[in-house]
Amino acid sequence: MSPEEADAGVWTVRDFAEHGTRSSTWTVVRREPLPGSFIKLDLTDAGEVYDASVQTQPDAVCHLAANPSPSGFRQQTFANNVLSTYNVMQAAGDNGKVTRFVYVPARWPPAG
């Protein structure tokens, strides 16, 4: 799971726990205590993402991410979102155990 600070991520981790699903949250800042394990890492660092994948051995990945503006600059936002998603997808694919990958932008503009 990444990142847990997003509203959708928090809700998802709690829902997984309520239904008995083991989860591991990977993100740079832990905003609040959540069920499951937590690994502090930078998703744009492929080595850190691979290490987390080896440590947790997930059979499924739910990547709730896509920061709308980590620094307020478009190019940095794009690079952060694309690189972090690529690293998580690549590690999941190379893991050999992941049979399901779900990607959802965790923060999106409200409808209306």
Side-chain angles (χ1 to χ4, degrees):
M1 178 69 58
S2 54
E4 55 105 336
E5 73 269 12
D7 294 335
V10 170
W11 183 89
T12 302
V13 170
R14 289 185 179 144
D15 190 65
F16 283 170
E18 287 175 17
H19 290 93
T21 302
R22 182 179 56 90
S23 68
S24 177
T25 302
W26 309 349
T27 188
V28 71
V29 177
R30 186 171 200 159
R31 306 240 188 247
E32 61 182 275
L34 290 172
S37 66
F38 170 75
I39 297 176
K40 180 179 180 174
L41 58 74
D42 177 358
L43 293 172
T44 64
D45 183 321
E48 290 185 22
V49 175
Y50 271 82
D51 285 346
S53 182
V54 168
Q55 287 176 41
T56 59
Q57 293 293 304
D59 57 8
V61 174
C62 184
H63 183 55
L64 295 165
N67 189 333
S69 183
S71 62
F73 298 103
R74 277 188 183 173
Q75 291 158 327
Q76 290 172 328
T77 300
F78 179 80
N80 176 74
N81 291 338
V82 171
L83 188 55
S84 63
T85 299
Y86 176 81
N87 288 340
V88 173
M89 291 180 89
Q90 188 68 46
D94 290 347
N95 166 293
K97 294 181 179 182
V98 175
T99 59
R100 189 166 297 211
F101 188 98
V102 176
Y103 169 76
V104 179
R107 294 184 183 163
W108 51 85

